[in-house]
Amino acid sequence: MGDRKEDIRGEEEGCQKIPKLPIPGKRNILITSALPYVNNVPHLGNIIGCVLSADVFARYCRLRGYNVIYICGTDEYGTATETKAMEENCTPQEICDKYHAIHKEVYNWFNISFDEFGRTSTPQQTDVCQDIFKKLMENNWLSENTIQQFYCDNCNRFLADRLVEGTCPFPSCNYDSARGDQCEKCCEMLNSTELTNPRCKVCRTTPQIRDTNHLFLELPLLKDKLEEYINAMSVVGSWSQNAIQATYAWLTGGLKPRCITRDLKWGVPVPHEKFKDKVFYVWFDAPIGYISITACYTPDWEKWWKNPENVELYQFMGKDNVPFHTVMFPSTLLGTGESWTLMKSISVTEYLNYEAGKFSKSKGTGVFGNDAKGTNIPPEVWRYYLLTNRPEVSDTLFTWTDLQTKLNTELLNNLGNFINRVLSFIVKPPGLGYGSIIPDAQGAESHLLTKTLAEKVGNYVDQYVEAMEKVKLKQALKIGMSISSEGNAYLQESQFWKLYKQDQASCSVVMRTSVGLVYLLASLLEPFMPSFSVKVLKQLNLPPDRTLPLSDEAGDLGKARKPWEVIPAGHKIGTPDPLFKEMKDEDVAFFQMKFSGRQADRAV
């Protein structure tokens, strides 16, 4: 059965948290999700694009017995924080403290199992960032140049790219609210001076162009090293197609030097006398946050980040973040000349849209993390819906009617119905059921219907593992749910309610096999719906940390082909309860109305 006691935040010794470190001979996996920016509440599109997808993979890796840590945190430096601080009449640090706590609360509610959820406004971030910068300087990968940048006379400051809005310069786009660093619509990266009809985002006046000196990372000089890495790792790591396309679009378009400094106060100071009044640009600084947050997790962080022979780095993000992770960040690390753990696999999502338009933090459109909690829809339902709707190859659409359909048909009528039928029959008193005691299953291997089911389930588990190893999360979830469908068909075909009176031995085989499937489902679906699995394990009268392991070393996968053996005869189960609640049409109408406008305008 496999006792598995694992603390996702490290082994505990008293109250002391002992960080996990790479273990020789084991598969060591380092997982990151794109650091959410700290100036707003995350919406559902952010959650599925980054932290939730990475969480599913991290939980799967633990289920498989891999040695894994999952690192994330809030991205706190830069223009957006300064702007938000001005809006709320407080300091950037106060904004970071406020929204870091909000993010942490939202992710806790969604059951995101970080090993460390940190932040970038730390001394560790300053130390790591400045050390990398100094090595780039020593290796002559940086250059100095004068650039033209917008200056707002009204605000009396240089405007960072995010503080400039205008019309996207690409004729195929022409989006009239493009940011100065990147167009939200076409995802092309920009310089603010390329925008037409530019305006200051703070005061809406037209800024003037002035000269200012900055430091640049010479990407063209690093091109050979970068291409060698990309060509090899994109194959080895089975990069998603959208990641490959975005990366090679950058390479074929010709790499250009990228500015790494900005005229701001809120950020990591540049350790250079000539640029001491500047800070690092957020694209340079933020990915280094993965490293510094790991340094907050353990002082031995280099055993994870400077150990490419023994550590595999998996990174999760939305499509607009791809160039920062496949071009900028690896170039930065390669330029130091040190042996860094570079990204092996990248999992990229397209956009999750909301009803008739886009989720938007800046415009307050859609359902936000704190909104989800207030709906009284359980986190496992939200997780399931977002993951079945995960925009892996194209944009997908969130609608309340679709959520209702998936909840009522897939979770309630398929999964919940199967589990409840099995457990409710077992708890019936003797003469009607088994008095909560799992019966023996003698002759299971010669029971044709059961043998056929077991073969199908074993194949499904193999397919599930194959999909998860390739980070095909939506496909793996669909396979897991197929096992529940097979279970329902098995119950119907066996007509166990008749067997109980006519053939007790066969009925016992069916019931013990079925309760084994319930346990298997609780394990396979744990990465997707952990709170669901906890409820099922409680109803099985098993500890909440006792999911069925799927370790290769212990031959656990073979157990799926004998589901009648996974829970022993004589085990007493707990009390079955409905696992899901129906969503009615009036609920859908209520939520559609409540979330139809801007978040700030909603009645609480």
Side-chain angles (χ1 to χ4, degrees):
M1 291 223 320
D3 287 300
R4 185 178 71 89
K5 292 201 172 185
E6 182 167 37
D7 183 347
I8 59 174
R9 296 191 176 275
E11 297 298 325
E12 299 289 339
E13 189 176 278
C15 294
Q16 184 78 25
K17 182 177 75 171
I18 300 176
K20 287 176 280 187
L21 295 174
I23 300 171
K26 287 206 75 169
R27 191 170 175 199
N28 301 295
I29 297 181
L30 171 59
I31 298 172
T32 71
S33 57
L35 306 183
Y37 210 76
V38 78
N39 68 326
N40 220 321
V41 181
H43 59 63
L44 297 184
N46 305 133
I47 291 167
I48 184 58
C50 304
V51 295
L52 177 55
S53 296
D55 180 63
V56 172
F57 188 66
R59 288 177 178 275
Y60 164 77
C61 289
R62 297 181 193 117
L63 200 64
R64 293 277 279 152
Y66 304 152
N67 185 41
V68 59
I69 62 170
Y70 175 17
I71 300 295
C72 190
T74 42
D75 177 9
E76 302 194 349
Y77 285 138
T79 311
T81 305
E82 286 193 351
T83 306
K84 192 70 173 179
M86 285 189 286
E87 288 175 11
E88 298 196 12
N89 196 27
C90 60
T91 66
Q93 186 64 62
E94 288 170 336
I95 282 292
C96 292
D97 292 344
K98 172 184 174 180
Y99 284 99
H100 175 80
I102 290 172
H103 276 258
K104 197 168 185 179
E105 182 182 355
V106 168
Y107 302 141
N108 282 343
W109 187 81
F110 273 92
N111 292 313
I112 308 298
S113 61
F114 304 114
D115 288 274
E116 184 75 18
F117 184 73
R119 49 202 309 188
T120 57
S121 59
T122 64
Q124 289 89 340
Q125 175 75 357
T126 300
D127 291 345
V128 177
C129 204
Q130 291 184 344
D131 185 61
I132 287 173
F133 166 77
K134 288 172 184 176
K135 288 184 171 63
L136 291 171
M137 282 289 289
E138 290 168 10
N139 295 336
N140 296 314
W141 298 118
L142 300 179
S143 62
E144 180 184 334
N145 208 341
T146 299
I147 65 169
Q148 292 187 320
Q149 194 172 338
F150 282 120
Y151 187 91
C152 180
D153 291 317
N154 192 47
C155 296
N156 193 29
R157 63 184 292 185
F158 278 104
L159 298 179
D161 289 344
R162 277 176 172 260
L163 278 180
V164 184
E165 282 185 347
T167 302
C168 178
F170 289 89
S172 59
C173 178
N174 277 324
Y175 181 52
D176 63 2
S177 294
R179 289 198 320 248
D181 60 343
Q182 187 173 30
C183 177
E184 187 182 37
K185 184 179 178 183
C186 69
C187 293
E188 290 287 351
M189 301 200 58
L190 306 170
N191 289 312
S192 59
T193 50
E194 295 174 323
L195 295 172
T196 54
N197 302 316
R199 55 192 177 274
C200 171
K201 194 173 179 180
V202 178
C203 67
R204 318 306 291 176
T205 61
T206 302
Q208 306 302 314
I209 291 178
R210 290 191 185 180
D211 288 343
T212 178
N213 290 333
H214 283 286
L215 288 166
F216 289 72
L217 178 64
E218 286 290 339
L219 290 177
L221 300 181
L222 287 159
K223 186 178 182 224
D224 290 345
K225 290 177 183 288
L226 179 66
E227 284 189 334
E228 182 182 354
Y229 156 72
I230 290 171
N231 291 338
M233 203 61 83
S234 61
V235 176
V236 172
S238 300
W239 288 10
S240 55
Q241 197 57 39
N242 43 11
I244 292 172
Q245 288 172 348
T247 301
Y248 280 98
W250 260 61
L251 293 178
T252 55
L255 293 176
K256 301 173 185 176
R258 295 294 296 189
C259 187
I260 67 167
T261 54
R262 275 294 176 262
D263 293 294
L264 295 171
K265 299 298 180 187
W266 182 244
V268 175
V270 179
H272 188 294
E273 184 62 29
K274 191 172 180 180
F275 299 92
K276 63 183 180 181
D277 293 331
K278 300 180 191 291
V279 300
F280 288 116
Y281 193 4
V282 70
W283 75 257
F284 178 81
D285 155 75
I288 294 172
Y290 301 130
I291 303 169
S292 73
I293 292 168
T294 311
C296 294
Y297 172 68
T298 171
D300 294 320
W301 60 270
E302 290 187 355
K303 292 181 179 179
W304 284 105
W305 280 100
K306 293 185 179 180
N307 192 359
E309 300 301 318
N310 297 301
V311 175
E312 302 168 53
L313 175 58
Y314 283 73
Q315 299 197 285
F316 291 76
M317 68 206 67
K319 64 180 178 182
D320 52 339
N321 266 318
V322 170
F324 299 111
H325 291 79
T326 61
V327 176
M328 310 284 204
F329 188 38
S331 294
T332 300
L333 298 181
L334 288 166
T336 66
E338 296 180 307
S339 183
W340 289 93
T341 302
L342 298 177
M343 179 179 64
K344 174 186 176 182
S345 184
I346 179 172
S347 182
V348 177
T349 55
E350 304 289 315
Y351 291 135
L352 175 68
N353 295 322
Y354 178 74
E355 295 282 353
K358 281 189 175 184
F359 278 94
S360 173
K361 284 188 291 187
S362 58
K363 296 174 183 176
T365 304
V367 181
F368 289 70
N370 50 350
D371 295 329
K373 184 178 179 180
T375 61
N376 290 322
I377 299 171
E380 61 263 32
V381 174
W382 282 109
R383 286 177 64 116
Y384 179 81
Y385 180 68
L386 290 172
L387 289 159
T388 59
N389 222 11
R390 186 174 186 251
E392 293 181 351
V393 294
S394 60
D395 293 355
T396 57
L397 187 65
F398 174 102
T399 70
W400 287 102
T401 53
D402 188 39
L403 173 58
Q404 177 194 32
T405 300
K406 286 187 167 62
L407 167 55
N408 292 349
T409 60
E410 297 173 17
L411 292 179
L412 182 63
N413 294 341
N414 176 7
L415 181 63
N417 178 59
F418 170 66
I419 293 171
N420 197 255
R421 287 180 79 188
V422 173
L423 302 188
S424 294
F425 190 76
I426 291 173
V427 298
K428 287 181 179 180
L432 297 172
Y434 296 91
S436 299
I437 305 298
I438 304 296
D440 201 354
Q442 292 184 5
E445 301 211 30
S446 60
H447 190 266
L448 184 59
L449 185 63
T450 299
K451 191 176 179 181
T452 302
L453 171 79
E455 188 65 27
K456 285 182 181 177
V457 169
N459 291 338
Y460 274 133
V461 171
D462 289 344
Q463 292 167 23
Y464 168 93
V465 168
E466 183 182 357
M468 289 297 279
E469 291 292 335
K470 294 178 179 177
V471 201
K472 305 284 189 186
L473 306 184
K474 186 156 61 171
Q475 180 182 339
L477 178 54
K478 186 177 180 181
I479 292 166
M481 292 296 288
S482 296
I483 293 175
S484 175
S485 300
E486 291 293 345
N488 273 315
Y490 175 65
L491 290 181
Q492 283 303 108
E493 195 169 347
S494 71
Q495 296 192 314
F496 64 94
W497 58 94
K498 292 182 181 179
L499 282 181
Y500 185 77
K501 295 176 182 177
Q502 300 167 2
D503 185 350
Q504 278 271 341
S506 291
C507 190
S508 294
V509 168
V510 171
M511 282 297 104
R512 190 170 169 198
T513 300
S514 296
V515 82
L517 284 190
V518 170
Y519 189 15
L520 180 62
L521 283 166
S523 302
L524 296 178
L525 297 177
E526 191 275 341
F528 301 92
M529 298 183 288
S531 52
F532 154 82
S533 293
V534 169
K535 291 175 185 175
V536 174
L537 291 172
K538 183 180 179 182
Q539 293 183 28
L540 288 171
N541 193 27
L542 294 170
D545 57 359
R546 198 171 172 177
T547 48
L548 190 68
L550 296 176
S551 167
D552 283 331
E553 291 89 341
D556 293 321
L557 295 181
K559 295 174 185 176
R561 296 186 181 274
K562 294 184 178 182
W564 54 85
E565 291 186 355
V566 296
I567 296 184
H571 175 77
K572 184 176 182 179
I573 68 169
T575 304
D577 282 310
L579 292 160
F580 302 103
K581 181 183 175 184
E582 181 185 11
M583 180 180 283
K584 301 186 186 316
D585 290 344
E586 52 264 35
D587 298 325
V588 172
F590 172 78
F591 290 132
Q592 285 173 330
M593 178 63 70
K594 181 174 181 179
F595 296 103
S596 60
R598 287 173 52 87
Q599 189 193 35
D601 300 332
R602 291 171 197 153
V604 177

